[in-house]
Amino acid sequence: MQLIKPDINVDFVGKRNMAFVLSIVLILIGIGSLIVKGGPNYGVDFAGGTLVQVRFEQNTTAGEIKKALIPNVLDNATVQQFGDDANEYLIRAQESDSGLQGLRSQILDALEPVYGAGTVDMRRIEMVGPQVGQELRKQGLMAILYAMIGILAYITWRFEFRFAVGAIVALVHDVLLTLGAFSLFGKEIDLPIIAAFLAIIGYSLNDTIIVYDRIRENMGKYHGSGVPLTVNRSINETLSRTILTSGTTLLVVLALFLFGGGVIHNFAFALLIGVLVGTYSSIFVASPILIAWQEKTAGKSAP
């Protein structure tokens, strides 16, 4: 089945300035959201505290649960509905396990008199101290940084330094847009989300390398055509592969997002955004940076 004609010639390069403006605007919106909200919304893994997942047999509300818990068990707790089940809730508090021994029995003792014995199902309890959360956050950021440094070294060795710069800029672009989307939609960032960010980096890099490999090949074939024409030709030649790969990946991630349940909802959301921006950046960010690099180099050598 042939989705894209072999001789297709879409002017991606001609739209690069418009794409740059769009990317900058979206990144600034995300950064603005992070500033307004005081930074990322870290989960218990990174911020420390207590997370309890509870399911009730009868209908209830977050306000009623909070009213039953706060005087007896958790101070300054927040309660929110979890997943697709109307009677399943997440209870979050700043307290950690240092002062909450026997938390399971304390919560049941506070809720069962209100909702009835045996009607409250404790699905999970997670407790992380603030020092541990800070260390995990640091390690997660360092993992992303080391991945970037390794990619810079690999692409410099595999291609050229200008290719490596384009790939790194595209990856930073992808991470910033995904982080901004998490801030705008109020999603939490925890350890699985760091794993999702690393998966996004890998996916975006793979797509970028496919395009870069064709660009390098065409630079040898059509060295007299100029960099912009060669880059645009290479993007069009790999367009069919890009659409098929990204399309099938999106279908799987979308299925996880819609039907995977609350446990992996944020993880699937990160991958969904990451696949979209990763495909976009390989065409409109990583490749056009080669053109900008060539123009800058030619401008310096002209005098």
Side-chain angles (χ1 to χ4, degrees), residues 12 53 59 61 121 158 213 222 231 233 237 267 301:
F12 293 107
Q53 182 180 340
N59 294 331
T61 64
D121 181 16
R158 180 70 171 79
D213 199 46
Y222 313 105
V231 168
R233 181 198 299 270
E237 289 178 355
F267 181 81
S301 61

Side-chain angles (χ1 to χ4, degrees), residues 106-289:
Q106 291 181 41
I107 292 178
L108 289 177
D109 290 343
L111 293 177
E112 286 189 341
V114 179
Y115 296 98
T119 62
V120 181
D121 181 16
M122 302 281 292
R123 295 294 181 91
R124 60 171 167 148
I125 300 177
E126 296 178 5
M127 300 178 186
V128 178
Q131 187 64 35
V132 175
Q134 184 178 3
E135 185 66 23
L136 289 174
R137 186 166 68 243
K138 179 181 177 182
Q139 291 176 356
L141 293 174
M142 294 304 295
I144 295 177
L145 179 62
Y146 291 150
M148 295 285 191
I149 294 174
I151 289 166
L152 180 66
Y154 168 75
I155 297 188
T156 301
W157 169 74
R158 180 70 171 79
F159 295 92
E160 299 175 27
F161 181 68
R162 56 176 174 167
F163 287 85
V165 171
I168 291 298
V169 171
L171 295 180
V172 172
H173 165 276
D174 298 343
V175 171
L176 287 177
L177 284 184
T178 307
L179 184 61
F182 263 71
S183 178
L184 287 171
F185 289 96
K187 303 289 186 180
E188 281 192 348
I189 297 178
D190 49 20
L191 283 175
I193 302 307
I194 297 299
F197 281 168
L198 292 173
I200 290 168
I201 288 173
Y203 180 87
S204 178
L205 179 64
N206 178 69
D207 208 25
T208 299
I209 286 180
I210 295 297
V211 178
Y212 274 0
D213 199 46
R214 185 58 59 89
I215 290 173
R216 184 178 61 174
E217 179 183 338
N218 286 338
M219 280 181 174
K221 286 183 180 179
Y222 313 105
H223 58 274
S225 300
V227 174
L229 184 59
T230 301
V231 168
N232 199 71
R233 181 198 299 270
S234 303
I235 295 173
N236 279 280
E237 289 178 355
T238 56
L239 187 61
S240 179
R241 180 261 176 203
T242 299
I243 292 176
L244 287 172
T245 304
S246 300
T248 52
T249 306
L250 273 175
L251 287 176
V252 175
V253 175
L254 186 61
L256 288 175
F257 179 73
L258 294 176
F259 309 112
V263 176
I264 62 170
H265 184 80
N266 286 352
F267 181 81
F269 177 79
L271 291 180
L272 187 64
I273 299 297
V275 170
L276 289 172
V277 299
T279 304
Y280 165 86
S281 67
S282 65
I283 296 174
F284 289 108
V285 179
S287 300
I289 282 179

Side-chain angles (χ1 to χ4, degrees), residues 9 11 14 18 29-30 54 74 90 92 97 123 127 129 141 154 183 202 216 222 248 268 286 290 297:
N9 186 26
D11 187 17
M18 185 186 304
I29 291 174
V54 186
L74 299 174
L90 288 181
R92 308 170 192 274
D97 55 351
R123 295 294 181 91
M127 300 178 186
L141 293 174
Y154 168 75
S183 178
R216 184 178 61 174
Y222 313 105
T248 52
L290 298 178
T297 304

